[in-house]
Amino acid sequence: MQYFSCFSPKGAILAAPNLDSDLGYPHIFGRRKKGSGLGDSFGNFHSARIQIQILKRGLVSNHFKLRYYGQKKNSFYSPSALSLALFHDPQGSENKNEDAEIDYIVDPPESKEENFQRNRVEFVEKERVDVRALAGRLCDVKTAVDVDEVLKDYKTLPLPVYSSIIRGFGLDKRVDPAFAVFEWLKMKGKDSGGIISPNLFIYNSLLGALKQVAQFEKIDEVMEEMKSQGIVPNIVTYNTLMSAYIDQGQPQKALDVLDEIERNGISPSPATYSSVLLICRKMDDAIGAIGYFVKFREDYEKSYMVKDPINDWKTEFTKLENFAIRICYLVMRQHLVNEENAATNVFKILSEMDKVRLRPGRVEYERLIWACTQERHYNVARELYQRIREMESEISLSVCNHVIWLMGKAKKWWAALEIYEDLLDKGPEPNNLSYELIMSHFNILLSAAKKKGIWRWGVRLINKMLDKGLRPGIKEWNAVLVACSKASETSAAVQIFRRMVEHGERPTVLSYGALLSAMEKAKLYDEALRVWEHMCKVGVKPNLHAYTILVSVYIGNGMPEMVDSVIKEMRLSKLEPSIITFNAIITGCARNRLSGAAFEWFHRMKVQNMKPNEITYEMLIEALSQDGKPRLAYEMYLRAINEGLHLSAKAYDAVLESSQAFGTNMDMNALGDRPQEKKRIVRFRRNLSELCDLEDLDRRNKPFDRTEICSSDIQER
């Protein structure tokens, strides 16, 4: 039997006189200690003895003393818990001093005659009862008759013995012997005229036993019997009912019990408030938990509980406050894990907590941040991060890294940068993961700037990285170079190239290619050829893209004869010209009015089994039209249509204008309808918003002027 088998070898001995049942139970005044309560088993005590001394004044005195004897400084010895087990104090309180002598006040009898009738039973002072042995003999009983057979050799015992035995059977999951002892007490009550019969505390013990074995259907029967016997429930009774309803998953009925407590004018105990908060947790009602806590705090602040000698309400208040915070944390975490619209619910709970001055600690905030894993959680994570910073307490570096990662996932890169700046300014010191995360965010921004050709943003990002102690790699420098090249910002590209070299980065073929492209677009052909020579001199091997730019440079510089040598050099390097290479050659010829050379390279494409695309035909038609060859341009247009290509309206207009200018009669109907103009939608503002959260940027202390060039040493050409 688990509950009773935990006794020490010496057993637990109860030395007590036979008390009349009508005297009831004393209320124990004191403070509850950690680890003690109504559910403590007898195994928590070593060689503990209780001695009840009756000081008779007349027949029966209305005053008696209880002394505890035990071993001091023993973590397993708890006299208050033992007294609770024997007397079943409804509040679960305990004495502050383990060896203190405590006085208990018991209501006197109504009259001497009644006193005489109630105390016909002989009191035996200092009679010792081995409760462990007695419980062991009763553990297999089934009926009241069986109990009577076991107890026939015992004199009348005090009711606390039966109360503790019933409660012990409940904790040991033995409800049958508990009911048998209860029925025996009822039988004895009839035989003795009510001298020994179940009282409130016996009923409470039985209710607790039924709750322990989850026989909830019998709890209502016991409650009805209590009412029929005229026994008024106390706070322990109601707390047990609330706990039973919670275990059954009926939180609303548990709240109805709370309403009944208030109607009956009974003062709730700490267990009552804890049960109410637990109900809110079961219902995932954080707002309700906050409301009940506020109500409790109002009563506490009005000093309604100060005069209560049973409970240490200052300690209980702290426990309940922590419990309410815990409930709010669990509900918010559940929202973040399971719901789509979690941010709204979380912010609502945080707002309500702020209103009532219920502030979670750093640990709760950090755990909630860890629960933020989706893009839509970024605003929650940022708010929680700011709250931790405002507390002026330490913050975990791993949490900061998680927020940086989440901001990047939600494309809030500037917000991630702010967090990294906090690490540099306020701590903790960033580690390699912090560096890699922020560098990855910069790479995303630079890649977007590179793709969109927004060179100003690229320059700003490079400057920002250098300001924050981040060393841009060759990948970052090249991204800015390509952005400058796409924007035809040659001077900016040259400056970035020089800064890259000054910061110890060795240019790659991509670096040289971007610089060559910027110079070719600016028609700086001689400078481009010098860059090419320098690239070859330092041992950088050209790729296909670099060779393609080189042929455009030669054609633009009036040296189309050098194109053949470039093609031969490409093949020696095991690089075959692509469609892009041929298009660059034809485009260069078209821009320099070399229609014959363009047409020749067109045929060389066909010889090499390279299929022309729309760009090839459009640039060739443009070159032929400008060179006074409208019929050949017309034929090329029809050929492109027959090959299933869709040329632009510009090519159609070039054929039409050339035929009219040179007076050539051609069937324009054969060309079909004029193609629709390709609308070019400029989305500069949208592109900027993709690169940076404009709302975040506007909230920064130093707003950024989107039109400025961030590097003063870069002069626009």
Side-chain angles (χ1 to χ4, degrees):
M1 200 167 69
Q2 182 179 357
Y3 181 84
F4 296 101
S5 61
C6 297
F7 279 106
S8 63
K10 293 182 180 179
I13 306 299
L14 172 68
N18 296 323
L19 300 179
D20 191 283
S21 63
D22 286 344
L23 294 178
Y25 290 88
H27 291 284
I28 301 176
F29 301 152
R31 183 175 61 182
R32 182 186 309 174
K33 283 188 178 180
K34 183 178 182 182
S36 66
L38 297 179
D40 288 341
S41 68
F42 290 136
N44 292 339
F45 322 121
H46 279 249
S47 303
R49 292 183 302 172
I50 295 183
Q51 184 180 45
I52 303 178
Q53 299 179 341
I54 302 297
L55 307 178
K56 297 182 179 179
R57 298 178 181 176
L59 292 175
V60 177
S61 172
N62 62 347
H63 178 276
F64 65 92
K65 298 181 178 180
L66 175 65
R67 287 196 178 128
Y68 298 113
Y69 302 92
Q71 301 174 358
K72 279 191 175 183
K73 299 181 180 178
N74 190 328
S75 61
F76 293 96
Y77 172 66
S78 176
S80 60
L82 181 56
S83 67
L84 290 174
L86 295 178
F87 289 98
H88 193 50
D89 170 53
Q91 301 298 333
S93 59
E94 76 173 58
N95 182 26
K96 297 182 180 179
N97 191 336
E98 294 181 350
D99 288 322
E101 181 180 283
I102 307 177
D103 293 346
Y104 299 92
I105 306 302
V106 182
D107 293 336
E110 296 179 0
S111 64
K112 292 185 177 180
E113 292 75 16
E114 290 178 348
N115 194 346
F116 179 80
Q117 293 297 328
R118 294 173 184 274
N119 294 279
R120 289 176 299 173
V121 180
E122 180 182 0
F123 285 84
V124 181
E125 285 194 60
K126 298 187 179 179
E127 179 182 356
R128 296 187 175 183
V129 179
D130 190 337
V131 180
R132 179 183 178 221
L134 180 58
R137 296 182 61 185
L138 291 171
C139 66
D140 294 324
V141 299
K142 300 294 182 182
T143 63
V145 177
D146 297 336
V147 176
D148 191 65
E149 184 67 22
V150 173
L151 299 179
K152 65 182 180 180
D153 296 332
Y154 286 83
K155 295 182 179 180
T156 304
L157 300 177
L159 287 178
V161 174
Y162 304 115
S163 175
S164 65
I165 289 175
I166 292 174
R167 186 168 59 258
F169 284 143
L171 294 174
D172 211 31
K173 310 297 182 183
R174 293 175 177 269
V175 72
D176 291 336
F179 256 107
V181 173
F182 176 74
E183 294 296 333
W184 180 82
L185 288 172
K186 290 170 57 179
M187 181 180 69
K188 281 294 182 180
K190 295 178 181 178
D191 296 342
S192 64
I195 295 178
I196 298 179
S197 62
N199 62 2
L200 172 62
F201 305 102
I202 295 293
Y203 277 103
N204 285 344
S205 298
L206 182 60
L207 289 172
L210 292 174
K211 175 188 173 298
Q212 289 291 333
V213 297
Q215 292 190 10
F216 304 115
E217 65 280 357
K218 293 184 178 180
I219 290 180
D220 293 335
E221 299 176 5
V222 174
M223 289 297 299
E224 290 297 328
E225 186 171 343
M226 284 182 64
K227 293 180 180 178
S228 65
Q229 296 297 323
I231 297 177
V232 180
N234 65 358
I235 190 60
V236 175
T237 312
Y238 288 119
N239 287 345
T240 305
L241 283 178
M242 292 180 67
S243 180
Y245 283 129
I246 293 173
D247 292 346
Q248 294 179 75
Q250 299 179 353
Q252 188 56 51
K253 287 189 176 181
L255 292 178
D256 294 340
V257 174
L258 178 64
D259 295 337
E260 186 175 351
I261 292 174
E262 295 176 350
R263 287 196 302 269
N264 294 337
I266 299 176
S267 299
S269 68
T272 311
Y273 288 111
S274 298
S275 297
V276 172
L277 293 179
L278 182 60
I279 293 170
C280 295
R281 172 66 188 100
K282 296 288 185 181
M283 300 173 66
D284 295 330
D285 184 10
I287 305 300
I290 294 173
Y292 282 113
F293 172 76
V294 171
K295 184 176 182 297
F296 161 69
R297 186 174 63 188
E298 290 175 352
D299 294 340
Y300 175 77
E301 292 176 347
K302 292 177 181 178
S303 301
Y304 290 164
M305 307 165 184
V306 173
K307 297 180 180 180
D308 184 358
I310 299 176
N311 298 292
D312 182 3
W313 282 103
K314 183 177 181 180
T315 302
E316 298 298 337
F317 174 79
T318 303
K319 292 179 181 179
L320 291 172
E321 183 178 26
N322 293 335
F323 191 22
I325 292 174
R326 177 69 176 175
I327 291 173
C328 294
Y329 155 74
L330 291 174
V331 174
M332 287 189 288
R333 188 180 186 280
Q334 185 173 347
H335 286 319
L336 291 170
V337 173
N338 299 327
E339 294 184 4
E340 292 290 332
N341 191 25
T344 302
N345 295 325
V346 171
F347 279 126
K348 182 178 180 181
I349 295 174
L350 288 174
S351 176
E352 291 297 322
M353 295 179 72
D354 291 340
K355 291 178 182 178
V356 300
R357 296 174 282 112
L358 196 62
R359 296 281 290 184
R362 177 177 68 89
V363 175
E364 288 78 15
Y365 282 142
E366 288 188 347
R367 289 176 178 175
L368 286 175
I369 289 176
W370 281 114
C372 298
T373 57
Q374 304 297 324
E375 295 180 14
R376 56 182 178 271
H377 296 159
Y378 80 91
N379 51 353
V380 176
R382 184 165 54 184
E383 172 65 22
L384 297 174
Y385 170 82
Q386 292 296 337
R387 285 172 177 255
I388 297 176
R389 286 295 187 185
E390 291 172 0
M391 294 170 66
E392 297 183 355
S393 63
E394 296 181 356
I395 185 171
S396 171
L397 178 58
S398 60
V399 170
C400 296
N401 289 340
H402 180 74
V403 178
I404 291 174
W405 168 81
L406 184 62
M407 293 299 108
K409 186 176 182 181
K411 299 181 180 180
K412 307 299 178 181
W413 295 288
W414 286 110
L417 179 59
E418 288 181 355
I419 297 171
Y420 186 80
E421 291 174 349
D422 287 342
L423 292 179
L424 296 176
D425 299 337
K426 306 175 184 178
E429 184 178 354
N431 58 7
N432 291 336
L433 179 58
S434 312
Y435 180 85
E436 292 174 0
L437 285 171
I438 202 67
M439 286 296 293
S440 68
H441 295 342
F442 272 109
N443 281 326
I444 293 173
L445 292 170
L446 289 169
S447 298
K450 169 185 172 182
K451 182 179 179 181
K452 305 296 183 180
I454 309 177
W455 69 277
R456 299 176 189 270
W457 280 96
V459 173
R460 171 174 170 77
L461 291 169
I462 286 291
N463 291 337
K464 178 64 71 174
M465 293 176 69
L466 294 173
D467 291 342
K468 298 305 175 183
L470 301 172
R471 180 180 177 181
I474 189 63
K475 181 179 180 181
E476 289 75 29
W477 289 108
N478 285 343
V480 182
L481 274 173
V482 172
C484 294
S485 175
K486 285 189 174 182
S488 301
E489 292 293 334
T490 307
S491 60
V494 172
Q495 187 65 36
I496 290 296
F497 189 90
R498 289 176 179 172
R499 292 178 66 189
M500 176 180 65
V501 175
E502 290 172 357
H503 282 83
E505 295 296 337
R506 183 178 179 181
T508 63
V509 65
L510 180 58
S511 311
Y512 283 106
L515 185 59
L516 286 170
S517 177
M519 290 182 171
E520 187 272 333
K521 292 177 180 178
K523 298 183 180 181
L524 301 175
Y525 303 119
D526 293 335
E527 290 81 355
L529 291 175
R530 285 197 293 270
V531 171
W532 178 271
E533 292 174 0
H534 181 270
M535 179 183 70
C536 297
K537 182 179 179 180
V538 298
V540 177
K541 187 178 179 180
N543 59 6
L544 181 60
H545 177 66
Y547 278 117
T548 301
I549 297 173
L550 181 60
V551 296
S552 298
V553 170
Y554 277 129
I555 296 174
N557 203 25
M559 296 185 292
E561 66 279 0
M562 295 297 296
V563 175
D564 282 325
S565 63
V566 175
I567 298 298
K568 291 177 182 179
E569 185 178 344
M570 290 175 61
R571 290 189 172 127
L572 289 175
S573 301
K574 297 182 179 180
L575 295 174
E576 287 295 329
S578 66
I579 183 65
I580 298 176
T581 306
F582 283 104
N583 285 346
I585 295 173
I586 294 174
T587 300
C589 294
R591 290 176 178 175
N592 290 275
R593 296 182 177 273
L594 301 173
S595 61
F599 196 70
E600 179 184 352
W601 282 102
F602 177 80
H603 281 290
R604 291 176 68 172
M605 286 180 61
K606 304 295 291 184
V607 171
Q608 296 183 19
N609 295 323
M610 189 168 295
K611 186 177 180 181
N613 59 13
E614 284 88 349
I615 296 177
T616 310
Y617 279 108
E618 288 177 1
M619 298 311 300
L620 181 58
I621 291 172
E622 180 181 347
L624 294 173
S625 299
Q626 291 177 356
D627 205 21
K629 299 176 181 178
R631 187 168 297 278
L632 190 55
Y634 176 81
E635 293 175 358
M636 290 297 102
Y637 193 97
L638 291 177
R639 186 172 180 176
I641 293 176
N642 294 333
E643 292 180 5
L645 300 177
H646 301 282
L647 302 183
S648 65
K650 184 178 179 180
Y652 183 92
D653 294 339
V655 174
L656 181 60
E657 292 172 1
S658 179
S659 63
Q660 294 175 352
F662 293 96
T664 305
N665 294 324
M666 292 178 291
D667 185 9
M668 298 303 295
N669 293 328
L671 301 180
D673 296 334
R674 182 179 183 275
Q676 293 183 355
E677 293 282 353
K678 293 182 180 180
K679 296 182 179 179
R680 184 178 180 182
I681 302 176
V682 179
R683 297 177 179 175
F684 184 71
R685 170 77 57 169
R686 181 177 177 181
N687 292 337
L688 287 180
S689 63
E690 292 175 357
L691 287 174
C692 171
D693 182 4
L694 296 180
E695 295 180 359
D696 288 349
L697 195 58
D698 292 338
R699 285 194 294 267
R700 296 176 64 86
N701 294 331
K702 295 180 180 180
F704 170 61
D705 184 1
R706 302 177 180 87
T707 62
E708 69 178 354
I709 302 178
C710 302
S711 179
S712 59
D713 57 348
I714 296 180
Q715 300 296 327
E716 291 194 64
R717 178 176 55 86

